[in-house]
Amino acid sequence: PCAGAAPPPAAAAALAATPPPAAAAAAGGKPFVGAFDAIISSELAAVLAAAKDVGGDCDKSTAILSKAFERMTAVIAAVSACKKPAQEDLGALAGPVGECIMEADGLTGGRRGAMFNHQKAIAEFLQALTWVVYTGKDCGMSLPLPHVDEVWGAAEFYVNK
């Protein structure tokens, strides 16, 4: 658990107490926190702006995408200040991101609308955020970089349709 944070199962409280990435980086935090924040403020901002122009169901799925990255930002900031958490603490820490993944996947069920491929691409891509729960070769998933590459391929399939 994080030094000074409430003990598990208070992972949500630890996340709430975690400073935003820009603040963590400015306060001598890890460089990857600032790098993740830079991706959010440039790349994700461009996606959200384009989705706003499209509107409709596109807004729904990109709102979930934005929420997932906000939650992942909190995970990244917490990871920068914590030692390796116990398995149950890791699940509690990453749980809010998982909720977004399930919410995005829920948009792809049922009747296929005009934005189905967009929604499915986002639902597939959000699986990339699960790299943070990689705990070793016996955890049932690829190393983080190959995992993200695999997920990117699945998302790209729907982008190219």
Side-chain angles (χ1 to χ4, degrees):
C2 294
L15 282 175
T18 303
K30 307 285 189 225
F32 63 83
V33 176
F36 194 78
D37 191 39
I39 290 169
I40 299 292
S41 62
S42 62
E43 305 302 324
L44 183 60
V47 170
L48 297 176
K52 189 171 183 74
D53 289 344
V54 173
D57 287 341
C58 188
D59 277 347
K60 290 179 187 176
S61 53
T62 51
I64 296 169
L65 178 72
S66 178
K67 181 169 52 172
F69 271 90
E70 286 174 16
R71 291 176 176 184
M72 188 64 168
T73 299
V75 172
I76 296 289
V79 165
S80 75
C82 296
K83 293 182 180 182
K84 182 179 177 182
Q87 191 66 32
E88 61 273 3
D89 296 336
L90 182 60
L93 188 65
V97 176
E99 291 169 6
C100 291
I101 293 169
M102 291 187 298
E103 187 179 354
D105 195 49
L107 291 179
T108 65
R111 196 165 173 224
R112 292 185 177 200
M115 289 288 145
F116 174 79
N117 289 333
H118 171 78
Q119 292 170 326
K120 189 67 174 173
I122 286 178
E124 292 290 332
F125 172 74
L126 284 176
Q127 297 291 328
L129 298 180
T130 63
W131 68 266
V132 76
V133 297
Y134 178 83
T135 57
K137 64 181 182 176
D138 296 327
C139 74
M141 64 187 284
S142 302
L143 288 164
L145 184 57
H147 171 71
V148 171
D149 285 342
E150 292 163 10
V151 170
W152 179 259
E156 191 174 40
F157 174 80
Y158 289 97
V159 169
N160 289 331
K161 279 186 145 189

